[in-house]
Amino acid sequence: MEKLIKEFLHAENLRQTRRHFLNTCTTGLGVAALSSLMSGCFPKKSGENQAMTDPTLPKTPHFAPKVKRVIYIHMAGAPSQLELFDYKPELQKYDGVDCPQEFLEGKKFAFIRGVPKMLGPLAQFKQHGQSGNYISDFMPYLPEVADELTFIKAMYTDQFNHAPAQLLMQTGSPRLGRPSLGSWAMYGLGTENQNLPGFIVLASGGRSPDAGKSVWGNGFLPSIYQGVQCRTGADPVLYVSDPHGMSRDIRRQTIEAINEINRQQYDEVQDPEILTRISQYEMAFRMQMSVPEVMDISKEPEWVRNMYGAEVGDASFANNCLLARRLVENGVRFVQLYHWGWDSHGTDQRLSLDGGFKELCNITDRAVTGLLKDLKMRGLLDETLVVWGGEFGRTPMQENRDGQTLPFKGRDHHLDAFTVFMAGGGLKKGMSFGETDPLGYYGVKDRTHVHDLQATILHLLGFDHEKLTYFFQGRPFRLTDVAGKVIRPILA
């Protein structure tokens, strides 16, 4: 009861603000000022009923979507496309040769200085499936689903450092403050399961991405649309359980009392963040029952866990892939997986292409393949989009530092060419789009920018990326900023 009283007093204090004063001015000037302020911060959307409503309820997209949900697998650190999917036999001929000057003049690199040596592919490549797509032996399981994959091989970005590049890939801007792709999806579509968050994040690899939690943040969108990070284990969401000594009925009554205060405040100021607060209290209460059930992979048959390489109780990438399937199966709109550690500079064994990088492939390849096979087997793949990729690519040169060759084989950050693959509904299966030059340095055919990928993902979800906007600080914002075009040749 003491906490309820404090909550009430706090709410009363919040009401004694300049905005409240202006709203109650009898001259009319205050009301006009408040109206101007509110229209700038919390504008009405066209056709939207401004009455009390749950902002996560399902919404209709601009046109019929090809997919209902997304699983985005981000390999934080940027895996080398030249050891995985972009087969360059010509590069092998130049292994150990000084890098051509045209690759260096006018270019900036994160670490390379002077004239580095070219580095041939360290993996063996074969064509797989009816599509004949090249996949290296670093990925022994992925060839089983080669004909489900759609490769984009001449992707480029504007950023060669990890945090800005991750932000650009996930939020459309290299600077902090923009909503993430998953948040835009939630804002546009809502969620199909009111007992679970519509946007869930699962991270593995020992660390979070370099850009931190901003890559799944809501930016200037109401915070109900931010990603909810879950953990693999017995307590997937911190503090979701009832406090010691508090029964479920008491907690229910507490939430109802708090939300009644929130409703009264919303009636006064119409701030959408108050709706968010109400929804989050309600969601937290419902999650107590739903989250432990969905996150329990022990309920899966052993042969399914084996397909992923998942082990009950592990905090692993394999477990996260299995959880991703369970989450989308239960109506979660957007699942973001992050696996950290792909920054293969060659400074030590862990960061070498034939050491730590190859081990990361072994850790993740089976799980990604298992996820795609499982989704297809359950009839979910046609309505789910799976995206796999990093934030940029790696150079065809071996990285050096201060002109000195490193003791292990690695590649520097590269923004001019990298590979992303997708699978699922609305795509041409087994397709490879885009082409790089014989040494894998530049995109020479069908280049695509990060904003193009974002526009395509939104298109498959049923949105015109130029029209999915949010009014903020005097202008409408969108995920793709003022750029981006749908990659139509890959669409079925």
Coordinates of all heavy atoms in Angstrom, one line a residue, residues 366-423:
R366 N 25.2 -25.5 -38.1 CA 24.2 -26.6 -37.9 C 22.9 -26.0 -37.4 O 21.8 -26.4 -37.8 CB 24.8 -27.6 -36.9 CG 23.8 -28.7 -36.5 CD 24.5 -29.6 -35.5 NE 23.7 -30.7 -35.0 CZ 24.1 -31.6 -34.1 NH1 25.3 -31.5 -33.6 NH2 23.3 -32.5 -33.6
A367 N 23.0 -25.0 -36.5 CA 21.8 -24.4 -35.9 C 20.9 -23.6 -37.0 O 19.7 -23.7 -37.0 CB 22.1 -23.5 -34.8
V368 N 21.6 -22.9 -37.8 CA 20.9 -22.1 -38.9 C 20.2 -23.1 -39.8 O 19.1 -22.9 -40.2 CB 21.9 -21.2 -39.6 CG1 21.2 -20.5 -40.8 CG2 22.4 -20.1 -38.7
T369 N 21.0 -24.1 -40.2 CA 20.4 -25.1 -41.1 C 19.2 -25.8 -40.5 O 18.2 -26.0 -41.1 CB 21.5 -26.1 -41.5 OG1 22.6 -25.5 -42.1 CG2 20.9 -27.1 -42.5
G370 N 19.4 -26.2 -39.2 CA 18.3 -26.8 -38.5 C 17.0 -25.9 -38.4 O 15.9 -26.4 -38.6
L371 N 17.2 -24.6 -38.2 CA 16.1 -23.7 -38.1 C 15.4 -23.6 -39.5 O 14.1 -23.7 -39.5 CB 16.7 -22.3 -37.8 CG 15.7 -21.1 -37.9 CD1 14.5 -21.3 -36.9 CD2 16.4 -19.8 -37.7
L372 N 16.1 -23.5 -40.6 CA 15.4 -23.5 -41.9 C 14.7 -24.8 -42.2 O 13.6 -24.8 -42.7 CB 16.5 -23.2 -43.0 CG 17.1 -21.8 -42.9 CD1 18.2 -21.7 -43.9 CD2 16.1 -20.7 -43.1
K373 N 15.3 -25.9 -41.9 CA 14.6 -27.2 -42.1 C 13.4 -27.4 -41.2 O 12.4 -27.9 -41.7 CB 15.6 -28.4 -41.8 CG 16.8 -28.4 -42.9 CD 17.9 -29.4 -42.4 CE 17.4 -30.8 -42.4 NZ 18.6 -31.7 -42.1
D374 N 13.5 -26.9 -40.0 CA 12.4 -27.1 -39.0 C 11.2 -26.2 -39.5 O 10.1 -26.6 -39.4 CB 12.9 -26.7 -37.6 CG 12.0 -27.2 -36.5 OD1 11.0 -28.0 -36.8 OD2 12.2 -26.9 -35.4
L375 N 11.5 -24.9 -39.8 CA 10.5 -24.0 -40.3 C 9.7 -24.6 -41.5 O 8.5 -24.5 -41.6 CB 11.1 -22.7 -40.6 CG 11.5 -21.8 -39.5 CD1 12.3 -20.6 -40.0 CD2 10.3 -21.3 -38.6
K376 N 10.5 -25.1 -42.5 CA 9.9 -25.7 -43.7 C 9.1 -26.9 -43.3 O 7.9 -27.1 -43.8 CB 11.0 -26.1 -44.7 CG 10.4 -26.6 -46.0 CD 11.5 -26.8 -47.0 CE 10.9 -27.3 -48.4 NZ 12.0 -27.5 -49.4
M377 N 9.6 -27.8 -42.5 CA 8.9 -29.0 -42.1 C 7.5 -28.7 -41.4 O 6.6 -29.4 -41.6 CB 9.8 -29.8 -41.1 CG 9.2 -31.1 -40.7 SD 10.5 -32.0 -39.8 CE 11.0 -30.9 -38.6
R378 N 7.4 -27.6 -40.7 CA 6.2 -27.2 -40.0 C 5.3 -26.3 -40.8 O 4.3 -25.8 -40.3 CB 6.6 -26.5 -38.6 CG 7.3 -27.5 -37.7 CD 7.9 -26.7 -36.5 NE 8.7 -27.6 -35.7 CZ 8.2 -28.4 -34.7 NH1 7.0 -28.3 -34.4 NH2 9.1 -29.2 -34.0
G379 N 5.7 -26.0 -42.0 CA 4.9 -25.1 -42.9 C 5.0 -23.7 -42.5 O 4.1 -22.9 -42.9
L380 N 6.0 -23.3 -41.7 CA 6.2 -21.9 -41.3 C 7.1 -21.1 -42.2 O 7.0 -19.8 -42.2 CB 6.8 -21.9 -39.9 CG 5.9 -22.4 -38.8 CD1 6.7 -22.5 -37.5 CD2 4.7 -21.5 -38.5
L381 N 7.9 -21.7 -43.0 CA 8.9 -21.0 -43.8 C 8.2 -20.1 -44.8 O 8.7 -19.0 -45.1 CB 9.9 -21.9 -44.4 CG 11.1 -21.3 -45.1 CD1 11.9 -20.4 -44.1 CD2 12.0 -22.3 -45.7
D382 N 7.1 -20.5 -45.4 CA 6.5 -19.7 -46.4 C 5.9 -18.4 -45.9 O 5.7 -17.4 -46.6 CB 5.4 -20.5 -47.1 CG 5.9 -21.6 -48.0 OD1 7.1 -21.5 -48.4 OD2 5.2 -22.5 -48.4
E383 N 5.7 -18.3 -44.6 CA 5.2 -17.1 -44.0 C 6.2 -16.4 -43.0 O 5.9 -15.5 -42.3 CB 3.9 -17.4 -43.2 CG 2.7 -17.8 -44.0 CD 1.5 -18.0 -43.2 OE1 1.6 -18.2 -42.0 OE2 0.4 -17.9 -43.8
T384 N 7.4 -16.9 -43.1 CA 8.5 -16.3 -42.3 C 9.7 -15.9 -43.1 O 10.0 -16.6 -44.1 CB 9.0 -17.4 -41.2 OG1 7.9 -17.9 -40.5 CG2 10.0 -16.8 -40.3
L385 N 10.3 -14.8 -42.9 CA 11.5 -14.4 -43.5 C 12.7 -14.5 -42.6 O 12.7 -14.0 -41.5 CB 11.3 -12.9 -44.0 CG 12.6 -12.3 -44.6 CD1 12.8 -12.9 -46.0 CD2 12.4 -10.8 -44.8
V386 N 13.7 -15.3 -43.1 CA 14.9 -15.4 -42.3 C 16.0 -14.7 -43.0 O 16.2 -14.8 -44.2 CB 15.3 -16.9 -42.2 CG1 16.6 -17.1 -41.4 CG2 14.2 -17.7 -41.5
V387 N 16.7 -13.8 -42.3 CA 17.8 -13.0 -42.8 C 19.1 -13.3 -42.1 O 19.1 -13.5 -40.8 CB 17.5 -11.5 -42.7 CG1 18.6 -10.6 -43.3 CG2 16.1 -11.1 -43.2
W388 N 20.2 -13.5 -42.8 CA 21.5 -13.8 -42.2 C 22.5 -12.9 -42.8 O 22.6 -12.7 -44.0 CB 21.9 -15.3 -42.5 CG 23.1 -15.8 -41.9 CD1 23.3 -16.6 -40.8 CD2 24.5 -15.5 -42.3 NE1 24.6 -16.8 -40.5 CE2 25.4 -16.2 -41.4 CE3 25.0 -14.8 -43.4 CZ2 26.7 -16.2 -41.6 CZ3 26.4 -14.7 -43.5 CH2 27.3 -15.4 -42.6
G389 N 23.3 -12.3 -41.9 CA 24.4 -11.4 -42.4 C 25.1 -10.6 -41.3 O 24.6 -10.7 -40.1
G390 N 26.1 -9.9 -41.7 CA 26.9 -9.1 -40.7 C 26.6 -7.6 -41.1 O 25.7 -7.3 -41.8
E391 N 27.5 -6.7 -40.5 CA 27.3 -5.3 -40.8 C 28.2 -4.8 -41.9 O 27.9 -3.7 -42.4 CB 27.7 -4.5 -39.5 CG 29.1 -4.7 -39.0 CD 29.2 -5.8 -37.9 OE1 28.4 -6.7 -37.9 OE2 30.1 -5.7 -37.1
F392 N 29.2 -5.5 -42.4 CA 29.9 -5.2 -43.6 C 30.7 -6.4 -44.0 O 30.5 -7.5 -43.4 CB 30.9 -4.0 -43.4 CG 31.6 -3.9 -42.1 CD1 32.6 -4.9 -41.8 CD2 31.4 -2.9 -41.2 CE1 33.3 -4.9 -40.6 CE2 32.1 -2.8 -40.0 CZ 33.1 -3.8 -39.7
G393 N 31.6 -6.3 -44.9 CA 32.4 -7.5 -45.4 C 33.8 -7.4 -44.9 O 34.2 -6.7 -44.0
R394 N 34.6 -8.2 -45.6 CA 36.1 -8.3 -45.3 C 36.9 -8.1 -46.6 O 36.4 -8.5 -47.7 CB 36.5 -9.6 -44.6 CG 35.6 -10.1 -43.6 CD 35.4 -9.2 -42.4 NE 36.6 -8.9 -41.6 CZ 36.6 -8.5 -40.3 NH1 35.4 -8.3 -39.7 NH2 37.7 -8.3 -39.7
T395 N 38.1 -7.5 -46.5 CA 38.9 -7.2 -47.6 C 39.5 -8.4 -48.3 O 39.8 -9.4 -47.6 CB 40.0 -6.3 -47.2 OG1 40.8 -7.0 -46.2 CG2 39.5 -5.0 -46.6
P396 N 39.8 -8.4 -49.6 CA 40.5 -9.5 -50.2 C 42.0 -9.4 -49.9 O 42.7 -10.3 -50.3 CB 40.2 -9.3 -51.7 CG 39.9 -7.9 -51.8 CD 39.2 -7.4 -50.6
M397 N 42.4 -8.4 -49.2 CA 43.8 -8.3 -48.8 C 44.0 -8.9 -47.3 O 43.0 -8.8 -46.6 CB 44.3 -6.9 -48.7 CG 44.1 -6.2 -50.1 SD 42.5 -5.4 -50.2 CE 42.7 -3.9 -49.3
Q398 N 45.1 -9.4 -47.0 CA 45.4 -9.8 -45.6 C 45.7 -8.5 -44.8 O 46.4 -7.6 -45.3 CB 46.6 -10.7 -45.5 CG 46.9 -11.2 -44.1 CD 48.0 -12.3 -44.0 OE1 48.4 -12.8 -45.0 NE2 48.3 -12.6 -42.8
E399 N 45.1 -8.5 -43.7 CA 45.3 -7.3 -42.8 C 46.7 -7.2 -42.4 O 47.4 -8.2 -42.0 CB 44.3 -7.3 -41.6 CG 44.4 -6.1 -40.8 CD 43.4 -6.1 -39.7 OE1 42.3 -6.5 -39.9 OE2 43.7 -5.5 -38.6
N400 N 47.2 -5.9 -42.4 CA 48.5 -5.6 -41.7 C 48.2 -4.5 -40.7 O 47.2 -3.9 -40.7 CB 49.6 -5.2 -42.7 CG 49.2 -4.0 -43.5 OD1 48.3 -3.3 -43.2 ND2 49.9 -3.7 -44.6
R401 N 49.2 -4.3 -39.9 CA 49.1 -3.2 -38.9 C 50.4 -2.4 -39.0 O 51.5 -3.0 -38.8 CB 48.9 -3.7 -37.5 CG 47.6 -4.5 -37.2 CD 46.4 -3.6 -37.1 NE 45.2 -4.3 -37.0 CZ 44.6 -4.6 -35.8 NH1 45.1 -4.2 -34.7 NH2 43.4 -5.2 -35.8
D402 N 50.3 -1.1 -39.3 CA 51.5 -0.3 -39.4 C 52.5 -0.8 -40.4 O 53.7 -0.8 -40.3 CB 52.2 -0.1 -38.1 CG 51.3 0.6 -37.0 OD1 50.6 1.5 -37.4 OD2 51.4 0.2 -35.9
G403 N 51.9 -1.4 -41.5 CA 52.7 -2.0 -42.6 C 53.3 -3.3 -42.3 O 54.0 -3.9 -43.2
Q404 N 53.1 -3.9 -41.1 CA 53.7 -5.2 -40.7 C 52.6 -6.3 -40.9 O 51.5 -6.1 -40.4 CB 54.2 -5.1 -39.3 CG 55.2 -4.1 -39.0 CD 56.5 -4.4 -39.8 OE1 57.0 -5.5 -39.9 NE2 57.0 -3.3 -40.4
T405 N 53.0 -7.4 -41.5 CA 52.1 -8.5 -41.7 C 51.8 -9.2 -40.4 O 52.7 -9.4 -39.6 CB 52.7 -9.5 -42.7 OG1 52.9 -8.9 -44.0 CG2 51.7 -10.7 -42.9
L406 N 50.6 -9.5 -40.1 CA 50.2 -10.1 -38.8 C 50.6 -11.6 -38.8 O 50.6 -12.2 -39.9 CB 48.7 -9.9 -38.6 CG 48.3 -8.4 -38.4 CD1 46.8 -8.3 -38.3 CD2 48.9 -7.8 -37.1
P407 N 50.8 -12.2 -37.6 CA 51.2 -13.6 -37.6 C 50.1 -14.6 -38.0 O 50.4 -15.7 -38.4 CB 51.6 -13.8 -36.1 CG 50.8 -12.7 -35.4 CD 50.7 -11.6 -36.3
F408 N 48.8 -14.1 -38.0 CA 47.7 -15.0 -38.3 C 47.0 -14.4 -39.5 O 47.1 -13.2 -39.8 CB 46.8 -15.3 -37.2 CG 47.4 -16.0 -36.0 CD1 48.0 -15.2 -35.0 CD2 47.4 -17.3 -35.9 CE1 48.6 -15.8 -33.9 CE2 48.0 -18.0 -34.8 CZ 48.6 -17.2 -33.8
K409 N 46.3 -15.3 -40.2 CA 45.6 -14.8 -41.4 C 44.2 -14.2 -41.1 O 43.4 -14.8 -40.5 CB 45.4 -16.0 -42.4 CG 46.7 -16.4 -42.9 CD 46.6 -17.5 -44.0 CE 48.0 -17.9 -44.5 NZ 47.9 -19.0 -45.6
G410 N 44.0 -12.9 -41.5 CA 42.8 -12.2 -41.2 C 42.6 -11.2 -42.3 O 43.4 -10.9 -43.1
R411 N 41.4 -10.6 -42.3 CA 41.0 -9.6 -43.2 C 40.4 -8.4 -42.5 O 39.8 -8.5 -41.5 CB 39.9 -10.1 -44.2 CG 40.4 -11.4 -45.0 CD 39.3 -11.8 -46.0 NE 39.6 -13.1 -46.6 CZ 40.4 -13.3 -47.7 NH1 41.0 -12.2 -48.2 NH2 40.6 -14.5 -48.2
D412 N 40.7 -7.2 -43.1 CA 40.2 -6.0 -42.5 C 38.7 -5.7 -42.8 O 38.1 -6.4 -43.7 CB 41.0 -4.8 -42.9 CG 41.0 -3.6 -42.0 OD1 40.2 -3.6 -41.0 OD2 41.7 -2.6 -42.3
H413 N 38.1 -4.7 -42.2 CA 36.7 -4.3 -42.5 C 36.6 -3.8 -43.9 O 37.6 -3.2 -44.4 CB 36.3 -3.2 -41.6 CG 36.5 -3.5 -40.1 ND1 36.3 -2.5 -39.1 CD2 36.8 -4.6 -39.4 CE1 36.5 -3.0 -37.9 NE2 36.8 -4.3 -38.1
H414 N 35.5 -4.1 -44.6 CA 35.4 -3.7 -46.0 C 33.9 -3.3 -46.2 O 33.0 -4.1 -46.0 CB 35.8 -4.9 -46.9 CG 35.9 -4.6 -48.3 ND1 36.6 -3.5 -48.8 CD2 35.4 -5.2 -49.4 CE1 36.6 -3.4 -50.1 NE2 35.8 -4.4 -50.5
L415 N 33.7 -2.1 -46.7 CA 32.4 -1.6 -46.9 C 31.9 -1.8 -48.3 O 30.7 -1.6 -48.6 CB 32.2 -0.2 -46.4 CG 33.2 0.9 -46.9 CD1 32.9 1.4 -48.3 CD2 33.2 2.1 -45.9
D416 N 32.7 -2.1 -49.3 CA 32.4 -2.1 -50.7 C 31.7 -3.4 -51.2 O 31.1 -3.3 -52.3 CB 33.6 -1.8 -51.6 CG 34.0 -0.3 -51.5 OD1 33.1 0.5 -51.6 OD2 35.2 0.0 -51.3
A417 N 31.8 -4.4 -50.4 CA 31.2 -5.7 -50.9 C 31.1 -6.7 -49.8 O 32.1 -7.0 -49.1 CB 32.0 -6.3 -52.0
F418 N 29.9 -7.2 -49.6 CA 29.7 -8.3 -48.6 C 28.4 -9.1 -49.0 O 27.6 -8.6 -49.9 CB 29.6 -7.9 -47.2 CG 28.5 -7.0 -46.8 CD1 27.5 -7.4 -46.0 CD2 28.5 -5.6 -47.1 CE1 26.4 -6.6 -45.6 CE2 27.5 -4.7 -46.6 CZ 26.5 -5.2 -45.9
T419 N 28.2 -10.2 -48.4 CA 27.1 -11.1 -48.8 C 26.1 -11.2 -47.6 O 26.5 -11.4 -46.5 CB 27.6 -12.5 -49.2 OG1 28.5 -12.3 -50.3 CG2 26.4 -13.4 -49.5
V420 N 24.8 -11.2 -48.0 CA 23.7 -11.5 -47.1 C 22.8 -12.5 -47.7 O 22.7 -12.5 -49.0 CB 22.9 -10.2 -46.8 CG1 21.6 -10.5 -46.1 CG2 23.6 -9.2 -46.0
F421 N 22.3 -13.5 -47.0 CA 21.3 -14.3 -47.6 C 20.0 -14.3 -46.8 O 20.0 -14.0 -45.6 CB 21.9 -15.8 -47.7 CG 22.0 -16.6 -46.5 CD1 20.8 -17.1 -45.8 CD2 23.2 -17.0 -46.0 CE1 20.9 -17.9 -44.7 CE2 23.3 -17.8 -44.9 CZ 22.2 -18.3 -44.2
M422 N 19.0 -14.6 -47.5 CA 17.6 -14.7 -47.0 C 16.9 -16.0 -47.4 O 17.4 -16.6 -48.4 CB 16.8 -13.5 -47.4 CG 17.4 -12.1 -47.0 SD 16.2 -10.7 -47.2 CE 16.2 -10.6 -48.9
A423 N 15.9 -16.3 -46.7 CA 15.1 -17.5 -47.0 C 13.7 -17.2 -46.5 O 13.5 -16.6 -45.5 CB 15.7 -18.8 -46.4

